[in-house]
Amino acid sequence: MNLFIRFFIFNIIIWRCPTISKELSINDQIRDKELRIISETGEQLGIMSAREAQIIANGKNLDLVKISPNAKPPVCKIMDYGKYKYEQTRKEKEAKKKQKTIAVKEIRLRPGIESNDLNTKANNAIKFLKKGDKVKVELRFRGRELGHKDIGKEVMLKFIEIVKEFGEPVKAPAFEGNNMVVIIDPKKQTK
């Protein structure tokens, strides 16, 4: 039994498929017989062996980088790999800076809410909408309140009316179980 477990673990560790790496093959890591070579200026140099392409790249003090390994034959480009990696990380950072996350804020109401409480909750929703967040308004019904869904609908419509200047509902209020729910999107700011 012990020998079987060792054999099983050995097979998992050794024969497991290697993970796919996002790194590109460069210089001596390229083992293909034929390669399609592109120069640093973007013009095609033709199909040649990896050794010939490496000699050309070394003559220009640049790297040979496999940019399309699945093509027939694989495509390699002569470039400065360090500069290429730097530019890629810089582009990724710029993309992250421009990315905006939209949060969904939640506000809960009850059918018997008083008008000043409703205004306070609506003011909170307006703050969220001004920041650019979506607002999920949930009106909860409990017990006997389920028999008076029309009162809840009036409260929800009054709430939507208060915040309509800053946001508009995605769709009409709908029931999810014992709750009436509506999602309000912020209006686009015109400059």
Side-chain angles (χ1 to χ4, degrees):
M1 186 69 172
N2 195 12
L3 184 63
F4 177 75
I5 293 172
R6 284 185 183 168
F7 178 76
F8 184 73
I9 292 172
F10 174 79
N11 280 342
I12 289 175
I13 294 171
I14 302 301
W15 299 106
R16 182 180 226 164
C17 294
T19 57
I20 297 172
S21 174
K22 290 184 180 179
E23 294 294 318
L24 301 171
S25 300
I26 60 169
N27 297 333
D28 296 332
Q29 297 172 351
I30 301 170
R31 302 267 186 229
D32 299 304
K33 291 180 182 177
E34 286 187 329
L35 301 169
R36 182 176 305 276
I37 307 300
I38 300 173
S39 72
E40 69 277 5
T41 58
E43 60 187 76
Q44 290 203 15
L45 302 179
I47 298 173
M48 59 183 75
S49 70
R51 184 173 289 158
E52 292 173 15
Q54 190 62 50
I55 291 170
I56 293 171
N58 289 343
K60 297 180 179 181
N61 286 332
L62 295 172
D63 299 308
L64 183 65
V65 181
K66 189 189 289 187
I67 56 174
S68 181
N70 297 332
K72 300 284 184 200
V75 179
C76 292
K77 186 172 183 178
I78 297 172
M79 67 170 87
D80 185 357
Y81 186 66
K83 183 178 178 183
Y84 171 77
K85 289 287 288 181
Y86 171 74
E87 288 174 356
Q88 290 291 13
T89 55
R90 201 178 85 227
K91 285 179 186 176
E92 288 173 9
K93 285 181 183 177
E94 286 295 320
K96 280 186 179 179
K97 283 182 185 176
K98 292 178 183 175
Q99 206 173 38
K100 186 174 188 249
T101 57
I102 297 175
V104 178
K105 304 291 185 173
E106 200 168 311
I107 292 181
R108 292 187 181 143
L109 305 173
R110 296 292 305 272
I113 191 168
E114 293 294 323
S115 62
N116 45 342
D117 292 337
L118 184 69
N119 288 332
T120 303
K121 299 233 181 202
N123 287 336
N124 287 336
I126 289 170
K127 286 179 194 173
F128 298 144
L129 292 169
K130 282 182 180 177
K131 287 182 187 175
D133 297 330
K134 290 184 177 186
V135 176
K136 178 180 177 182
V137 183
E138 187 174 303
L139 192 115
R140 290 188 169 186
F141 293 94
R142 290 190 185 154
R144 293 182 191 171
E145 293 173 347
L146 282 167
H148 303 286
K149 292 181 181 177
D150 53 333
I151 296 172
K153 185 133 181 137
E154 287 176 18
V155 170
M156 187 65 84
L157 293 175
K158 195 182 294 184
F159 185 89
I160 292 170
E161 183 68 29
I162 294 170
V163 299
K164 76 175 182 182
E165 187 179 330
F166 301 97
E168 49 195 32
V170 177
K171 57 183 180 180
F175 274 94
E176 290 179 5
N178 291 343
N179 302 330
M180 184 183 290
V181 177
V182 67
I183 295 177
I184 301 174
D185 275 347
K187 283 190 175 177
K188 302 292 181 203
Q189 302 287 329
T190 55
K191 292 182 180 180

